[in-house]
Amino acid sequence: MTFKNQHIGKYRNIYGIFTLFLFIPLPSISQELPKILNQQKSSANYLPDFSYAGYHFSEKKLPDFQGKIVNATDYGVKANDDLDDSKALLKAIKAANSVEGNVILQLPAGRIILSDILYIERSNFVLRGAGSGENGTEIYCPRPMMYLKDPEALAELREYLTTFDKRQREKENNIDLPFSQYAWSGGFIWTQIPNERVKSYLDKYEPTPTVLAKVSHGTMGEHTITVSDVNGLKAGDVVELELFNKDGENGEIIKDLYKGANVKPGSHHWQFPKLPIVRQQVEITKISGSKVTLKTPLTISIKPAYQAQLAEWKHLNEVGIENLRFTFPDIPRVAHHVEPGNNGIFLTRVFNSWVKNVVITNADSGILAEEIANVTIQDIVTDGNHMAHYTVTLGGVHNVLVQNLKVYNKAVHPLSFNTFATKNVYKDCEVFADPVLDQHSGANHQNLFDHITVHFSPDQKNSYALFGGGGADYWKPSHGPYSTFWNLNVQVSNPEEITKPVLLYGMKDGPFARIIGVNGNAKFEVKYEPDPYIEFLNQSMEKVPSLYDYQLQKRLK
């Protein structure tokens, strides 16, 4: 029996117990809306609009993508023959790239063996399998990425790791090992624009951006900004809005970002003045004189001191990866940050794109994302006996929607918002093994955990560290204001044995979080620091089960 099936059986048993023990406390049912939805807006009860996350701002459904079909079998890919298909797949990718207009690279059913990176480097491209089930397409990767030629795109990361002697040191486990370049980067399927830097590591490599306009003013939650020095902007452009801290440790933007919270920002907030500390990939909808209207709202207000600008953002459009599964060998786990690179998908530089219907087994990281926006990742399963670093993680991304992710395997960070992540959403996701809702430091702010179900056993103190704050001290605190948890469904094992509220805790430096609706098959208490807004504790969220859906319907109406 697989790890996944063991856990499914376990929770079926729990539900069986639930029907037998009718005295288990149930959430009280309220027909009222949470007050935060209908109060007059102020900083005390501010709630971001998360409804713009996803493919085409979630105003369009994921497409049944049509185009010229390139069959991988025509280029030598042969499933189920126990031979490596990498060279044939690279030929098929090259052929698909030569097609004008929409193109679909169709993979056959059965097991395909892959031991090289498949780069997707063009727009209007779909990599499509025959399904993610037993009779679908399986991409089997027999050895990790550490045995491949070093990717040129990670050269700066490799220099950073060695320059700063980044090592995993665990004296109690006799571990003193260098970080892997694949701990949070890379994947066997990798979207990229060649020679475009994805993530900043060393200040000397910070490029000179192509500045399209200077930005002097804008208000948090609003869509209009004031610009000058406009260079060729037009409605429909997708560009990057960048805000800087060039005023050191006491920079005004740091105070604005954290709204005066009782937290101590780490040194990376001021040591890299060339690096935008807040960025949003935005679509311009209107230009009228010095006023530019953006499709999506600002995450913080803009002041002249932030030297904000609109800059060119190179990206791919309409890229899809769908209907397949990845399988990796169940290799022993050595330590955190030294993962050898059994990574499925690495998304960089894509906009209005998607990943759907993918199963990933025994990965170090299932789907990693950097520098993407308005992408939908849905109907994903991660499983296997191997403990992962990440399942689907969102770092340095904006307006990404992850929905219907099922996590059956153990992972260090099962659901994680990472450095510079803003306005992203995990929705309708379920974590069956050692759940943690992680926010990983690095000026990440205004992200949403929406209608998440978690399963766990409380510890001996009748508590559980559900809220994680990972990341290095130099990027603390764990997140900025207004990160939101909406309708957490908490399922504890053996609920009939619990006689007092279970304490959910773990966050000590996450200011002004919004925690609305924590309920499940027991009573709960929440400890979250500092200064959270908590409402609808142990109350049913039937009237507004999803904040994202509620806000989207309200906006589109």
Side-chain angles (χ1 to χ4, degrees), residues 393-406:
T393 191
L394 303 176
V397 305
H398 182 61
N399 275 343
V400 175
L401 172 64
V402 179
Q403 59 183 359
N404 194 28
L405 163 65
K406 305 292 186 186

Side-chain angles (χ1 to χ4, degrees), residues 154-325:
L154 299 185
E156 183 182 347
L157 171 56
R158 292 191 295 273
E159 183 178 346
Y160 162 80
L161 295 176
T162 55
T163 299
F164 291 96
D165 191 29
K166 304 294 283 188
R167 303 179 71 84
Q168 185 70 14
R169 296 178 173 92
E170 302 175 17
K171 290 183 178 180
E172 68 278 13
N173 293 319
N174 195 31
I175 289 173
D176 186 350
L177 296 170
F179 277 16
S180 164
Q181 63 183 315
Y182 300 115
W184 58 79
S185 297
F188 278 96
I189 308 295
W190 186 329
T191 69
Q192 70 168 4
I193 292 181
N195 303 315
E196 281 299 314
R197 186 170 182 249
V198 170
K199 191 169 182 176
S200 302
Y201 291 102
L202 298 169
D203 202 41
K204 66 181 181 180
Y205 293 120
E206 201 67 40
T208 301
T210 300
V211 178
L212 304 174
K214 299 291 186 179
V215 184
S216 57
H217 292 281
T219 302
M220 181 178 70
E222 301 296 330
H223 296 252
T224 301
I225 57 177
T226 302
V227 303
S228 62
D229 302 330
V230 177
N231 178 21
L233 279 182
K234 62 183 184 301
D237 286 350
V238 176
V239 298
E240 184 166 86
L241 173 63
E242 302 174 340
L243 284 64
F244 297 87
N245 176 30
K246 297 181 184 288
D247 296 323
E249 186 172 358
N250 297 314
E252 189 176 5
I253 193 171
I254 301 177
K255 299 173 185 177
D256 193 22
L257 182 60
Y258 296 108
K259 300 292 184 288
N262 185 23
V263 293
K264 184 179 180 180
S267 60
H268 274 29
H269 286 81
W270 62 84
Q271 287 184 339
F272 300 96
K274 296 180 184 178
L275 181 69
I277 195 171
V278 176
R279 71 280 301 271
Q280 295 178 246
Q281 290 78 34
V282 296
E283 181 177 321
I284 295 172
T285 60
K286 182 181 178 182
I287 300 175
S288 178
S290 63
K291 302 296 183 183
V292 170
T293 303
L294 309 176
K295 177 74 175 179
T296 49
L298 299 175
T299 66
I300 75 169
S301 295
I302 299 173
K303 300 176 182 177
Y306 305 163
Q307 299 187 36
Q309 61 192 27
L310 295 176
E312 182 183 39
W313 184 58
K314 294 181 180 179
H315 59 277
L316 307 175
N317 292 287
E318 305 294 340
V319 173
I321 301 169
E322 59 189 40
N323 304 338
L324 51 83
R325 69 183 190 271

